[in-house]
Amino acid sequence: GPQAIPEDVVFENTVIAGYPGADKRVVLRQMEMLTRLSGRDSWDFEYLGMTKQPYIKTNYPHHEGIWGWQDHADQVMLVVRNIRSTIDEYHDILADIDYAKTWVEATE
């Protein structure tokens, strides 16, 4: 299993964003297995507090607009399920939130 996150190492922390919710868990597990370091879900940062996990799993676009990891991330890996259907899926997500332009509009 994953090893303890070293306290004396500074990581280039990576957000693994699934668009739209695509296969990010598979990529996260592969990165965890290759490095033996655990990742964390974006919800965990928001509700359980900040930690040093080098991988952060989330969705893009995020329906609730949660950016729970604050400034903890240095780079993003966007995981796309099917490049041919991404525009249609993006508009489906926008329709789900009634084409909101702000977090407040999306959560009304």
Side-chain angles (χ1 to χ4, degrees), residues 32-73:
E32 288 176 330
M33 295 306 292
L34 287 170
T35 63
R36 298 185 53 95
L37 298 172
S38 66
R40 199 163 198 201
D41 193 279
S42 61
W43 291 101
D44 294 337
F45 283 100
E46 177 68 16
Y47 298 106
L48 301 176
M50 300 302 291
T51 60
K52 291 184 56 99
Q53 261 89 0
Y55 312 118
I56 304 162
K57 177 179 69 69
T58 194
N59 290 320
Y60 176 82
H62 201 288
H63 281 149
E64 289 79 19
I66 303 294
W67 192 276
W69 58 87
Q70 300 165 12
D71 63 354
H72 192 65

Side-chain angles (χ1 to χ4, degrees), residues 82-94:
N82 180 344
I83 197 69
R84 293 181 180 155
S85 62
T86 56
I87 298 301
D88 291 340
E89 291 170 353
Y90 181 71
H91 285 284
D92 288 345
I93 293 168
L94 288 179

